[in-house]
């Protein structure tokens, strides 16, 4: 049985999903990331992650971004693509998990309203 065709195009999107403030990392994600980067687990955790506000969960560090306020520090802010694609965490692999992406629907609607196929509709997350 063939899988359903997706109704979104990440190559036409500025990567809203990478602006989500809490990009959770499991132990398995951390090990995979360390291996991908060729660094020790300890150094990877220290350099690229931080604890969430409750101090319980490891999350990706962010950095400033012109469109969304902040984005995952592994997003290339020019090309809007993931720089660690093969080493990205499970949560990124699974998203959006459906045929449609809500962010992309929003983007398409804004582009349609403005009659501008290249418009980048902004959202803003607090860093
Ligand atoms: S927000 Fe949706 S369409 Fe945009 S990059 Fe992420 S998954 Fe792809
Ligand atoms: S790891 Fe890659 S796909 Fe996941 S949020 Fe960061 S830049 Fe986006």
């Amino acid at each position: 049985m063939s899988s359903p065709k997706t109704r979104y195009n990440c190559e036409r999107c500025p990567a809203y999903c990478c602006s989500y403030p809490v990009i959770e990392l499991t132990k398995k994600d951390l090990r995979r990331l360390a291996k991908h980067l060729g660094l020790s687990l300890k150094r990877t955790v220290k350099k690229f992650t931080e604890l969430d506000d409750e101090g319980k969960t490891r999350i990706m560090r962010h950095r400033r971004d012109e469109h969304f306020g902040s984005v995952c520090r592994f997003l290339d802010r020019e090309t809007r693509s993931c720089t660690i694609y093969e080493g990205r965490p499970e949560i990124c692999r699974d998203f959006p998990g459906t045929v449609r992406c809500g962010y992309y629907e929003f983007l398409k609607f804004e582009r349609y309203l403005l009659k501008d196929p290249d418009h980048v509709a902004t959202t803003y997350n607090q860093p």
Side-chain angles (χ1 to χ4, degrees):
M1 194 169 78
S2 62
S3 58
K5 198 172 181 326
T6 52
R7 304 294 296 272
Y8 56 91
N9 183 354
C10 298
E11 290 180 11
R12 297 275 304 131
C13 176
Y16 294 91
C17 52
C18 303
S19 74
Y20 194 66
V22 180
I23 298 165
E24 198 172 324
L25 297 157
T26 63
K27 285 180 181 160
K28 186 178 172 190
D29 290 328
L30 292 168
R31 285 196 299 271
R32 177 171 42 215
L33 181 58
K35 189 175 173 194
H36 180 78
L37 295 170
L39 298 173
S40 70
L41 185 59
K42 193 174 170 186
R43 181 147 171 74
T44 300
V45 168
K46 187 170 178 196
K47 193 165 181 199
F48 300 110
T49 78
E50 61 190 355
L51 286 170
D52 69 354
D53 287 347
E54 292 179 4
K56 290 181 183 162
T57 306
R58 278 279 148 202
I59 61 174
M60 282 291 197
R61 280 187 192 272
H62 274 222
R63 58 182 173 183
R64 291 195 62 74
D65 179 67
E66 64 170 313
H67 298 302
F68 306 134
S70 84
V71 287
C72 171
R73 56 118 39 244
F74 287 112
L75 183 73
D76 183 316
R77 289 171 293 183
E78 292 298 316
T79 65
R80 314 305 292 183
S81 58
C82 179
T83 58
I84 53 153
Y85 195 75
E86 296 302 325
R88 70 197 189 289
E90 209 64 40
I91 198 168
C92 303
R93 291 163 192 267
D94 293 345
F95 191 84
T98 55
V99 173
R100 292 179 190 273
C101 171
Y103 287 119
Y104 197 71
E105 295 295 310
F106 160 71
L107 180 65
K108 268 197 315 186
F109 183 65
E110 293 285 313
R111 285 176 173 171
Y112 168 77
L113 278 185
L114 293 168
K115 297 180 174 48
D116 178 358
D118 298 319
H119 178 68
V120 175
T122 55
T123 61
Y124 198 89
N125 290 310
Q126 292 297 323

